[in-house]
Amino acid sequence: MSDPKLIKNDAKSRFELLLDGRVASFIEYVDHGHALELTHTITKPDFRGRGLAGKLVNFALTRIDAENKRIIPTCSYIAQYVTKNPQFAHLVVKSPHP
């Protein structure tokens, strides 16, 4: 199995983690301009239990921070991830409006 490939797929409004060319995990988002509402984190059943979702969330939050955007973590997994990783707390906003 190859190393994971992490991408932002703007056409599908999601961040993706690919293994051997297959989407193993993804985060869906809604772009509100200044903030991305992160709505769902999904890891496909064949890929669960490997820590892939955590790697993908770290990638997504790092990328969003680099783009000077913020997040609205409506996905409970991402909200918990931010709580456990306070270096990302500054990204959180409550509303899609600045």
PDB file of all heavy atoms in Angstrom, residues 46-85:
ATOM      1  N   ASP A  46     -13.563  -0.140   4.707  1.00  0.00           N
ATOM      2  CA  ASP A  46     -12.346  -0.922   4.474  1.00  0.00           C
ATOM      3  C   ASP A  46     -11.088  -0.257   5.017  1.00  0.00           C
ATOM      4  O   ASP A  46     -10.042  -0.903   5.119  1.00  0.00           O
ATOM      5  CB  ASP A  46     -12.134  -1.172   2.973  1.00  0.00           C
ATOM      6  CG  ASP A  46     -13.176  -2.099   2.382  1.00  0.00           C
ATOM      7  OD1 ASP A  46     -13.961  -2.698   3.142  1.00  0.00           O
ATOM      8  OD2 ASP A  46     -13.207  -2.219   1.145  1.00  0.00           O
ATOM      9  N   PHE A  47     -11.172   1.038   5.351  1.00  0.00           N
ATOM     10  CA  PHE A  47      -9.991   1.798   5.752  1.00  0.00           C
ATOM     11  C   PHE A  47     -10.034   2.262   7.211  1.00  0.00           C
ATOM     12  O   PHE A  47      -9.132   2.962   7.662  1.00  0.00           O
ATOM     13  CB  PHE A  47      -9.824   3.017   4.833  1.00  0.00           C
ATOM     14  CG  PHE A  47      -9.616   2.647   3.397  1.00  0.00           C
ATOM     15  CD1 PHE A  47     -10.666   2.713   2.496  1.00  0.00           C
ATOM     16  CD2 PHE A  47      -8.377   2.226   2.945  1.00  0.00           C
ATOM     17  CE1 PHE A  47     -10.480   2.370   1.158  1.00  0.00           C
ATOM     18  CE2 PHE A  47      -8.180   1.880   1.611  1.00  0.00           C
ATOM     19  CZ  PHE A  47      -9.230   1.955   0.721  1.00  0.00           C
ATOM     20  N   ARG A  48     -11.063   1.892   7.942  1.00  0.00           N
ATOM     21  CA  ARG A  48     -11.211   2.352   9.322  1.00  0.00           C
ATOM     22  C   ARG A  48     -10.180   1.708  10.247  1.00  0.00           C
ATOM     23  O   ARG A  48      -9.641   0.650   9.959  1.00  0.00           O
ATOM     24  CB  ARG A  48     -12.624   2.069   9.816  1.00  0.00           C
ATOM     25  CG  ARG A  48     -13.630   2.937   9.090  1.00  0.00           C
ATOM     26  CD  ARG A  48     -15.037   2.746   9.609  1.00  0.00           C
ATOM     27  NE  ARG A  48     -15.939   3.592   8.812  1.00  0.00           N
ATOM     28  CZ  ARG A  48     -17.209   3.337   8.634  1.00  0.00           C
ATOM     29  NH1 ARG A  48     -17.766   2.294   9.203  1.00  0.00           N
ATOM     30  NH2 ARG A  48     -17.936   4.147   7.893  1.00  0.00           N
ATOM     31  N   GLY A  49      -9.907   2.400  11.357  1.00  0.00           N
ATOM     32  CA  GLY A  49      -9.008   1.869  12.374  1.00  0.00           C
ATOM     33  C   GLY A  49      -7.531   2.085  12.099  1.00  0.00           C
ATOM     34  O   GLY A  49      -6.680   1.499  12.759  1.00  0.00           O
ATOM     35  N   ARG A  50      -7.208   2.946  11.148  1.00  0.00           N
ATOM     36  CA  ARG A  50      -5.803   3.195  10.783  1.00  0.00           C
ATOM     37  C   ARG A  50      -5.345   4.613  11.094  1.00  0.00           C
ATOM     38  O   ARG A  50      -4.239   5.000  10.742  1.00  0.00           O
ATOM     39  CB  ARG A  50      -5.596   2.947   9.289  1.00  0.00           C
ATOM     40  CG  ARG A  50      -5.941   1.560   8.833  1.00  0.00           C
ATOM     41  CD  ARG A  50      -5.614   1.404   7.372  1.00  0.00           C
ATOM     42  NE  ARG A  50      -6.302   0.270   6.785  1.00  0.00           N
ATOM     43  CZ  ARG A  50      -6.204  -0.071   5.529  1.00  0.00           C
ATOM     44  NH1 ARG A  50      -5.454   0.631   4.700  1.00  0.00           N
ATOM     45  NH2 ARG A  50      -6.853  -1.108   5.069  1.00  0.00           N
ATOM     46  N   GLY A  51      -6.222   5.423  11.695  1.00  0.00           N
ATOM     47  CA  GLY A  51      -5.871   6.804  12.006  1.00  0.00           C
ATOM     48  C   GLY A  51      -5.907   7.734  10.811  1.00  0.00           C
ATOM     49  O   GLY A  51      -5.361   8.838  10.864  1.00  0.00           O
ATOM     50  N   LEU A  52      -6.551   7.320   9.747  1.00  0.00           N
ATOM     51  CA  LEU A  52      -6.565   8.126   8.519  1.00  0.00           C
ATOM     52  C   LEU A  52      -7.376   9.407   8.678  1.00  0.00           C
ATOM     53  O   LEU A  52      -6.983  10.459   8.168  1.00  0.00           O
ATOM     54  CB  LEU A  52      -7.102   7.299   7.346  1.00  0.00           C
ATOM     55  CG  LEU A  52      -6.304   6.040   6.995  1.00  0.00           C
ATOM     56  CD1 LEU A  52      -6.982   5.281   5.862  1.00  0.00           C
ATOM     57  CD2 LEU A  52      -4.869   6.387   6.638  1.00  0.00           C
ATOM     58  N   ALA A  53      -8.486   9.339   9.387  1.00  0.00           N
ATOM     59  CA  ALA A  53      -9.315  10.531   9.572  1.00  0.00           C
ATOM     60  C   ALA A  53      -8.534  11.614  10.302  1.00  0.00           C
ATOM     61  O   ALA A  53      -8.598  12.790   9.937  1.00  0.00           O
ATOM     62  CB  ALA A  53     -10.605  10.188  10.314  1.00  0.00           C
ATOM     63  N   GLY A  54      -7.780  11.236  11.317  1.00  0.00           N
ATOM     64  CA  GLY A  54      -6.971  12.208  12.048  1.00  0.00           C
ATOM     65  C   GLY A  54      -5.928  12.865  11.158  1.00  0.00           C
ATOM     66  O   GLY A  54      -5.712  14.081  11.235  1.00  0.00           O
ATOM     67  N   LYS A  55      -5.287  12.069  10.315  1.00  0.00           N
ATOM     68  CA  LYS A  55      -4.300  12.629   9.376  1.00  0.00           C
ATOM     69  C   LYS A  55      -4.969  13.611   8.417  1.00  0.00           C
ATOM     70  O   LYS A  55      -4.426  14.676   8.109  1.00  0.00           O
ATOM     71  CB  LYS A  55      -3.623  11.519   8.572  1.00  0.00           C
ATOM     72  CG  LYS A  55      -2.679  10.685   9.384  1.00  0.00           C
ATOM     73  CD  LYS A  55      -2.071   9.576   8.550  1.00  0.00           C
ATOM     74  CE  LYS A  55      -1.228   8.681   9.441  1.00  0.00           C
ATOM     75  NZ  LYS A  55      -0.629   7.576   8.747  1.00  0.00           N
ATOM     76  N   LEU A  56      -6.152  13.248   7.954  1.00  0.00           N
ATOM     77  CA  LEU A  56      -6.867  14.104   7.011  1.00  0.00           C
ATOM     78  C   LEU A  56      -7.311  15.398   7.683  1.00  0.00           C
ATOM     79  O   LEU A  56      -7.173  16.479   7.097  1.00  0.00           O
ATOM     80  CB  LEU A  56      -8.074  13.360   6.432  1.00  0.00           C
ATOM     81  CG  LEU A  56      -8.918  14.133   5.433  1.00  0.00           C
ATOM     82  CD1 LEU A  56      -8.088  14.600   4.236  1.00  0.00           C
ATOM     83  CD2 LEU A  56     -10.099  13.292   4.976  1.00  0.00           C
ATOM     84  N   VAL A  57      -7.830  15.314   8.898  1.00  0.00           N
ATOM     85  CA  VAL A  57      -8.260  16.530   9.605  1.00  0.00           C
ATOM     86  C   VAL A  57      -7.063  17.443   9.842  1.00  0.00           C
ATOM     87  O   VAL A  57      -7.146  18.653   9.629  1.00  0.00           O
ATOM     88  CB  VAL A  57      -8.984  16.191  10.918  1.00  0.00           C
ATOM     89  CG1 VAL A  57      -9.249  17.448  11.739  1.00  0.00           C
ATOM     90  CG2 VAL A  57     -10.289  15.456  10.639  1.00  0.00           C
ATOM     91  N   ASN A  58      -5.938  16.879  10.249  1.00  0.00           N
ATOM     92  CA  ASN A  58      -4.735  17.692  10.466  1.00  0.00           C
ATOM     93  C   ASN A  58      -4.349  18.407   9.177  1.00  0.00           C
ATOM     94  O   ASN A  58      -4.061  19.606   9.177  1.00  0.00           O
ATOM     95  CB  ASN A  58      -3.594  16.827  10.979  1.00  0.00           C
ATOM     96  CG  ASN A  58      -2.394  17.650  11.379  1.00  0.00           C
ATOM     97  OD1 ASN A  58      -1.858  18.414  10.588  1.00  0.00           O
ATOM     98  ND2 ASN A  58      -1.958  17.482  12.610  1.00  0.00           N
ATOM     99  N   PHE A  59      -4.353  17.696   8.065  1.00  0.00           N
ATOM    100  CA  PHE A  59      -4.045  18.294   6.765  1.00  0.00           C
ATOM    101  C   PHE A  59      -5.021  19.418   6.437  1.00  0.00           C
ATOM    102  O   PHE A  59      -4.622  20.518   6.042  1.00  0.00           O
ATOM    103  CB  PHE A  59      -4.092  17.224   5.666  1.00  0.00           C
ATOM    104  CG  PHE A  59      -4.106  17.789   4.272  1.00  0.00           C
ATOM    105  CD1 PHE A  59      -2.944  18.275   3.695  1.00  0.00           C
ATOM    106  CD2 PHE A  59      -5.278  17.833   3.534  1.00  0.00           C
ATOM    107  CE1 PHE A  59      -2.953  18.810   2.404  1.00  0.00           C
ATOM    108  CE2 PHE A  59      -5.309  18.361   2.247  1.00  0.00           C
ATOM    109  CZ  PHE A  59      -4.131  18.851   1.690  1.00  0.00           C
ATOM    110  N   ALA A  60      -6.325  19.150   6.596  1.00  0.00           N
ATOM    111  CA  ALA A  60      -7.340  20.142   6.243  1.00  0.00           C
ATOM    112  C   ALA A  60      -7.196  21.400   7.091  1.00  0.00           C
ATOM    113  O   ALA A  60      -7.220  22.521   6.561  1.00  0.00           O
ATOM    114  CB  ALA A  60      -8.737  19.540   6.408  1.00  0.00           C
ATOM    115  N   LEU A  61      -7.028  21.248   8.395  1.00  0.00           N
ATOM    116  CA  LEU A  61      -6.926  22.412   9.276  1.00  0.00           C
ATOM    117  C   LEU A  61      -5.655  23.204   9.003  1.00  0.00           C
ATOM    118  O   LEU A  61      -5.674  24.436   9.014  1.00  0.00           O
ATOM    119  CB  LEU A  61      -7.003  21.985  10.737  1.00  0.00           C
ATOM    120  CG  LEU A  61      -8.328  21.341  11.167  1.00  0.00           C
ATOM    121  CD1 LEU A  61      -8.273  20.954  12.638  1.00  0.00           C
ATOM    122  CD2 LEU A  61      -9.516  22.229  10.871  1.00  0.00           C
ATOM    123  N   THR A  62      -4.565  22.516   8.738  1.00  0.00           N
ATOM    124  CA  THR A  62      -3.309  23.191   8.414  1.00  0.00           C
ATOM    125  C   THR A  62      -3.452  23.976   7.115  1.00  0.00           C
ATOM    126  O   THR A  62      -3.008  25.125   7.005  1.00  0.00           O
ATOM    127  CB  THR A  62      -2.161  22.168   8.327  1.00  0.00           C
ATOM    128  OG1 THR A  62      -2.047  21.507   9.598  1.00  0.00           O
ATOM    129  CG2 THR A  62      -0.843  22.832   7.976  1.00  0.00           C
ATOM    130  N   ARG A  63      -4.098  23.384   6.138  1.00  0.00           N
ATOM    131  CA  ARG A  63      -4.316  24.040   4.846  1.00  0.00           C
ATOM    132  C   ARG A  63      -5.234  25.251   4.985  1.00  0.00           C
ATOM    133  O   ARG A  63      -4.979  26.322   4.420  1.00  0.00           O
ATOM    134  CB  ARG A  63      -4.892  23.017   3.863  1.00  0.00           C
ATOM    135  CG  ARG A  63      -5.324  23.544   2.525  1.00  0.00           C
ATOM    136  CD  ARG A  63      -4.225  23.490   1.500  1.00  0.00           C
ATOM    137  NE  ARG A  63      -4.672  24.072   0.263  1.00  0.00           N
ATOM    138  CZ  ARG A  63      -4.912  23.386  -0.855  1.00  0.00           C
ATOM    139  NH1 ARG A  63      -4.724  22.088  -0.882  1.00  0.00           N
ATOM    140  NH2 ARG A  63      -5.304  23.995  -1.941  1.00  0.00           N
ATOM    141  N   ILE A  64      -6.307  25.098   5.740  1.00  0.00           N
ATOM    142  CA  ILE A  64      -7.253  26.199   5.955  1.00  0.00           C
ATOM    143  C   ILE A  64      -6.549  27.351   6.662  1.00  0.00           C
ATOM    144  O   ILE A  64      -6.722  28.518   6.292  1.00  0.00           O
ATOM    145  CB  ILE A  64      -8.478  25.706   6.752  1.00  0.00           C
ATOM    146  CG1 ILE A  64      -9.304  24.743   5.884  1.00  0.00           C
ATOM    147  CG2 ILE A  64      -9.326  26.874   7.242  1.00  0.00           C
ATOM    148  CD1 ILE A  64     -10.329  23.924   6.647  1.00  0.00           C
ATOM    149  N   ASP A  65      -5.725  27.038   7.650  1.00  0.00           N
ATOM    150  CA  ASP A  65      -4.971  28.065   8.370  1.00  0.00           C
ATOM    151  C   ASP A  65      -4.020  28.794   7.415  1.00  0.00           C
ATOM    152  O   ASP A  65      -3.927  30.020   7.427  1.00  0.00           O
ATOM    153  CB  ASP A  65      -4.198  27.426   9.523  1.00  0.00           C
ATOM    154  CG  ASP A  65      -3.650  28.439  10.509  1.00  0.00           C
ATOM    155  OD1 ASP A  65      -4.153  29.579  10.587  1.00  0.00           O
ATOM    156  OD2 ASP A  65      -2.704  28.071  11.233  1.00  0.00           O
ATOM    157  N   ALA A  66      -3.352  28.052   6.544  1.00  0.00           N
ATOM    158  CA  ALA A  66      -2.419  28.650   5.586  1.00  0.00           C
ATOM    159  C   ALA A  66      -3.146  29.570   4.603  1.00  0.00           C
ATOM    160  O   ALA A  66      -2.554  30.524   4.094  1.00  0.00           O
ATOM    161  CB  ALA A  66      -1.664  27.561   4.827  1.00  0.00           C
ATOM    162  N   GLU A  67      -4.411  29.285   4.338  1.00  0.00           N
ATOM    163  CA  GLU A  67      -5.225  30.117   3.444  1.00  0.00           C
ATOM    164  C   GLU A  67      -5.876  31.286   4.184  1.00  0.00           C
ATOM    165  O   GLU A  67      -6.696  32.003   3.609  1.00  0.00           O
ATOM    166  CB  GLU A  67      -6.298  29.257   2.772  1.00  0.00           C
ATOM    167  CG  GLU A  67      -5.724  28.226   1.814  1.00  0.00           C
ATOM    168  CD  GLU A  67      -6.786  27.298   1.226  1.00  0.00           C
ATOM    169  OE1 GLU A  67      -7.981  27.407   1.583  1.00  0.00           O
ATOM    170  OE2 GLU A  67      -6.416  26.446   0.409  1.00  0.00           O
ATOM    171  N   ASN A  68      -5.534  31.455   5.468  1.00  0.00           N
ATOM    172  CA  ASN A  68      -6.092  32.530   6.307  1.00  0.00           C
ATOM    173  C   ASN A  68      -7.612  32.494   6.375  1.00  0.00           C
ATOM    174  O   ASN A  68      -8.271  33.523   6.373  1.00  0.00           O
ATOM    175  CB  ASN A  68      -5.600  33.905   5.855  1.00  0.00           C
ATOM    176  CG  ASN A  68      -4.123  34.067   6.094  1.00  0.00           C
ATOM    177  OD1 ASN A  68      -3.625  33.741   7.164  1.00  0.00           O
ATOM    178  ND2 ASN A  68      -3.407  34.542   5.089  1.00  0.00           N
ATOM    179  N   LYS A  69      -8.151  31.282   6.392  1.00  0.00           N
ATOM    180  CA  LYS A  69      -9.595  31.103   6.545  1.00  0.00           C
ATOM    181  C   LYS A  69      -9.870  30.539   7.940  1.00  0.00           C
ATOM    182  O   LYS A  69      -8.955  30.187   8.668  1.00  0.00           O
ATOM    183  CB  LYS A  69     -10.148  30.174   5.470  1.00  0.00           C
ATOM    184  CG  LYS A  69     -10.091  30.790   4.088  1.00  0.00           C
ATOM    185  CD  LYS A  69     -10.931  30.026   3.112  1.00  0.00           C
ATOM    186  CE  LYS A  69     -10.962  30.744   1.778  1.00  0.00           C
ATOM    187  NZ  LYS A  69     -12.109  30.369   0.996  1.00  0.00           N
ATOM    188  N   ARG A  70     -11.121  30.435   8.267  1.00  0.00           N
ATOM    189  CA  ARG A  70     -11.553  29.903   9.543  1.00  0.00           C
ATOM    190  C   ARG A  70     -12.464  28.699   9.296  1.00  0.00           C
ATOM    191  O   ARG A  70     -12.808  28.399   8.164  1.00  0.00           O
ATOM    192  CB  ARG A  70     -12.286  30.980  10.356  1.00  0.00           C
ATOM    193  CG  ARG A  70     -11.409  32.185  10.678  1.00  0.00           C
ATOM    194  CD  ARG A  70     -10.292  31.783  11.654  1.00  0.00           C
ATOM    195  NE  ARG A  70      -9.312  32.835  11.831  1.00  0.00           N
ATOM    196  CZ  ARG A  70      -8.067  32.797  11.358  1.00  0.00           C
ATOM    197  NH1 ARG A  70      -7.656  31.776  10.631  1.00  0.00           N
ATOM    198  NH2 ARG A  70      -7.224  33.768  11.604  1.00  0.00           N
ATOM    199  N   ILE A  71     -12.835  28.026  10.384  1.00  0.00           N
ATOM    200  CA  ILE A  71     -13.696  26.849  10.260  1.00  0.00           C
ATOM    201  C   ILE A  71     -14.936  26.994  11.137  1.00  0.00           C
ATOM    202  O   ILE A  71     -14.912  27.646  12.173  1.00  0.00           O
ATOM    203  CB  ILE A  71     -12.975  25.539  10.619  1.00  0.00           C
ATOM    204  CG1 ILE A  71     -12.584  25.505  12.100  1.00  0.00           C
ATOM    205  CG2 ILE A  71     -11.770  25.314   9.713  1.00  0.00           C
ATOM    206  CD1 ILE A  71     -12.177  24.136  12.602  1.00  0.00           C
ATOM    207  N   ILE A  72     -15.997  26.366  10.682  1.00  0.00           N
ATOM    208  CA  ILE A  72     -17.204  26.159  11.470  1.00  0.00           C
ATOM    209  C   ILE A  72     -17.314  24.633  11.578  1.00  0.00           C
ATOM    210  O   ILE A  72     -17.688  23.963  10.605  1.00  0.00           O
ATOM    211  CB  ILE A  72     -18.441  26.759  10.785  1.00  0.00           C
ATOM    212  CG1 ILE A  72     -18.229  28.247  10.510  1.00  0.00           C
ATOM    213  CG2 ILE A  72     -19.694  26.516  11.627  1.00  0.00           C
ATOM    214  CD1 ILE A  72     -19.148  28.808   9.464  1.00  0.00           C
ATOM    215  N   PRO A  73     -16.927  24.066  12.719  1.00  0.00           N
ATOM    216  CA  PRO A  73     -16.870  22.604  12.835  1.00  0.00           C
ATOM    217  C   PRO A  73     -18.212  21.987  13.213  1.00  0.00           C
ATOM    218  O   PRO A  73     -18.438  21.603  14.359  1.00  0.00           O
ATOM    219  CB  PRO A  73     -15.818  22.395  13.919  1.00  0.00           C
ATOM    220  CG  PRO A  73     -15.938  23.600  14.794  1.00  0.00           C
ATOM    221  CD  PRO A  73     -16.353  24.726  13.879  1.00  0.00           C
ATOM    222  N   THR A  74     -19.133  21.865  12.255  1.00  0.00           N
ATOM    223  CA  THR A  74     -20.407  21.231  12.552  1.00  0.00           C
ATOM    224  C   THR A  74     -20.274  19.710  12.624  1.00  0.00           C
ATOM    225  O   THR A  74     -21.148  19.049  13.178  1.00  0.00           O
ATOM    226  CB  THR A  74     -21.501  21.638  11.540  1.00  0.00           C
ATOM    227  OG1 THR A  74     -21.064  21.346  10.222  1.00  0.00           O
ATOM    228  CG2 THR A  74     -21.815  23.118  11.648  1.00  0.00           C
ATOM    229  N   CYS A  75     -19.207  19.174  12.124  1.00  0.00           N
ATOM    230  CA  CYS A  75     -18.895  17.745  12.253  1.00  0.00           C
ATOM    231  C   CYS A  75     -18.350  17.502  13.661  1.00  0.00           C
ATOM    232  O   CYS A  75     -17.380  18.137  14.083  1.00  0.00           O
ATOM    233  CB  CYS A  75     -17.854  17.343  11.214  1.00  0.00           C
ATOM    234  SG  CYS A  75     -17.147  15.698  11.465  1.00  0.00           S
ATOM    235  N   SER A  76     -18.966  16.582  14.394  1.00  0.00           N
ATOM    236  CA  SER A  76     -18.557  16.328  15.779  1.00  0.00           C
ATOM    237  C   SER A  76     -17.124  15.799  15.863  1.00  0.00           C
ATOM    238  O   SER A  76     -16.400  16.121  16.815  1.00  0.00           O
ATOM    239  CB  SER A  76     -19.524  15.351  16.455  1.00  0.00           C
ATOM    240  OG  SER A  76     -19.544  14.107  15.781  1.00  0.00           O
ATOM    241  N   TYR A  77     -16.683  15.017  14.884  1.00  0.00           N
ATOM    242  CA  TYR A  77     -15.313  14.499  14.905  1.00  0.00           C
ATOM    243  C   TYR A  77     -14.308  15.651  14.838  1.00  0.00           C
ATOM    244  O   TYR A  77     -13.317  15.670  15.561  1.00  0.00           O
ATOM    245  CB  TYR A  77     -15.084  13.521  13.743  1.00  0.00           C
ATOM    246  CG  TYR A  77     -13.692  12.927  13.739  1.00  0.00           C
ATOM    247  CD1 TYR A  77     -13.404  11.815  14.503  1.00  0.00           C
ATOM    248  CD2 TYR A  77     -12.666  13.494  12.986  1.00  0.00           C
ATOM    249  CE1 TYR A  77     -12.119  11.268  14.521  1.00  0.00           C
ATOM    250  CE2 TYR A  77     -11.397  12.967  12.997  1.00  0.00           C
ATOM    251  CZ  TYR A  77     -11.126  11.845  13.760  1.00  0.00           C
ATOM    252  OH  TYR A  77      -9.854  11.315  13.784  1.00  0.00           O
ATOM    253  N   ILE A  78     -14.568  16.618  13.986  1.00  0.00           N
ATOM    254  CA  ILE A  78     -13.653  17.762  13.848  1.00  0.00           C
ATOM    255  C   ILE A  78     -13.703  18.634  15.100  1.00  0.00           C
ATOM    256  O   ILE A  78     -12.667  19.095  15.576  1.00  0.00           O
ATOM    257  CB  ILE A  78     -13.949  18.551  12.565  1.00  0.00           C
ATOM    258  CG1 ILE A  78     -13.591  17.669  11.359  1.00  0.00           C
ATOM    259  CG2 ILE A  78     -13.183  19.876  12.538  1.00  0.00           C
ATOM    260  CD1 ILE A  78     -13.925  18.216  10.022  1.00  0.00           C
ATOM    261  N   ALA A  79     -14.883  18.850  15.663  1.00  0.00           N
ATOM    262  CA  ALA A  79     -14.993  19.625  16.897  1.00  0.00           C
ATOM    263  C   ALA A  79     -14.176  18.969  18.011  1.00  0.00           C
ATOM    264  O   ALA A  79     -13.439  19.650  18.736  1.00  0.00           O
ATOM    265  CB  ALA A  79     -16.453  19.764  17.308  1.00  0.00           C
ATOM    266  N   GLN A  80     -14.249  17.649  18.130  1.00  0.00           N
ATOM    267  CA  GLN A  80     -13.467  16.922  19.146  1.00  0.00           C
ATOM    268  C   GLN A  80     -11.976  17.001  18.843  1.00  0.00           C
ATOM    269  O   GLN A  80     -11.158  17.139  19.752  1.00  0.00           O
ATOM    270  CB  GLN A  80     -13.907  15.456  19.213  1.00  0.00           C
ATOM    271  CG  GLN A  80     -15.277  15.272  19.804  1.00  0.00           C
ATOM    272  CD  GLN A  80     -15.752  13.828  19.712  1.00  0.00           C
ATOM    273  OE1 GLN A  80     -15.093  12.968  19.141  1.00  0.00           O
ATOM    274  NE2 GLN A  80     -16.931  13.564  20.244  1.00  0.00           N
ATOM    275  N   TYR A  81     -11.620  16.934  17.576  1.00  0.00           N
ATOM    276  CA  TYR A  81     -10.210  17.016  17.180  1.00  0.00           C
ATOM    277  C   TYR A  81      -9.624  18.366  17.597  1.00  0.00           C
ATOM    278  O   TYR A  81      -8.522  18.425  18.132  1.00  0.00           O
ATOM    279  CB  TYR A  81     -10.064  16.811  15.670  1.00  0.00           C
ATOM    280  CG  TYR A  81      -8.635  16.702  15.211  1.00  0.00           C
ATOM    281  CD1 TYR A  81      -8.029  15.460  15.092  1.00  0.00           C
ATOM    282  CD2 TYR A  81      -7.879  17.833  14.899  1.00  0.00           C
ATOM    283  CE1 TYR A  81      -6.710  15.340  14.677  1.00  0.00           C
ATOM    284  CE2 TYR A  81      -6.564  17.730  14.492  1.00  0.00           C
ATOM    285  CZ  TYR A  81      -5.984  16.476  14.379  1.00  0.00           C
ATOM    286  OH  TYR A  81      -4.672  16.366  13.977  1.00  0.00           O
ATOM    287  N   VAL A  82     -10.368  19.440  17.365  1.00  0.00           N
ATOM    288  CA  VAL A  82      -9.890  20.775  17.735  1.00  0.00           C
ATOM    289  C   VAL A  82      -9.753  20.887  19.253  1.00  0.00           C
ATOM    290  O   VAL A  82      -8.787  21.462  19.756  1.00  0.00           O
ATOM    291  CB  VAL A  82     -10.814  21.872  17.166  1.00  0.00           C
ATOM    292  CG1 VAL A  82     -10.451  23.238  17.726  1.00  0.00           C
ATOM    293  CG2 VAL A  82     -10.744  21.885  15.643  1.00  0.00           C
ATOM    294  N   THR A  83     -10.691  20.310  19.999  1.00  0.00           N
ATOM    295  CA  THR A  83     -10.608  20.324  21.457  1.00  0.00           C
ATOM    296  C   THR A  83      -9.339  19.617  21.937  1.00  0.00           C
ATOM    297  O   THR A  83      -8.662  20.087  22.849  1.00  0.00           O
ATOM    298  CB  THR A  83     -11.855  19.652  22.072  1.00  0.00           C
ATOM    299  OG1 THR A  83     -13.010  20.403  21.684  1.00  0.00           O
ATOM    300  CG2 THR A  83     -11.772  19.609  23.591  1.00  0.00           C
ATOM    301  N   LYS A  84      -8.993  18.513  21.299  1.00  0.00           N
ATOM    302  CA  LYS A  84      -7.798  17.735  21.677  1.00  0.00           C
ATOM    303  C   LYS A  84      -6.507  18.323  21.114  1.00  0.00           C
ATOM    304  O   LYS A  84      -5.419  17.948  21.532  1.00  0.00           O
ATOM    305  CB  LYS A  84      -7.944  16.292  21.210  1.00  0.00           C
ATOM    306  CG  LYS A  84      -9.021  15.537  21.950  1.00  0.00           C
ATOM    307  CD  LYS A  84      -9.164  14.123  21.411  1.00  0.00           C
ATOM    308  CE  LYS A  84     -10.292  13.389  22.119  1.00  0.00           C
ATOM    309  NZ  LYS A  84     -10.512  12.051  21.575  1.00  0.00           N
ATOM    310  N   ASN A  85      -6.629  19.224  20.145  1.00  0.00           N
ATOM    311  CA  ASN A  85      -5.467  19.843  19.488  1.00  0.00           C
ATOM    312  C   ASN A  85      -5.653  21.358  19.502  1.00  0.00           C
ATOM    313  O   ASN A  85      -5.982  21.975  18.480  1.00  0.00           O
ATOM    314  CB  ASN A  85      -5.326  19.315  18.055  1.00  0.00           C
ATOM    315  CG  ASN A  85      -5.048  17.829  18.023  1.00  0.00           C
ATOM    316  OD1 ASN A  85      -3.906  17.404  18.121  1.00  0.00           O
ATOM    317  ND2 ASN A  85      -6.093  17.025  17.925  1.00  0.00           N
TER     318      ASN A  85
END
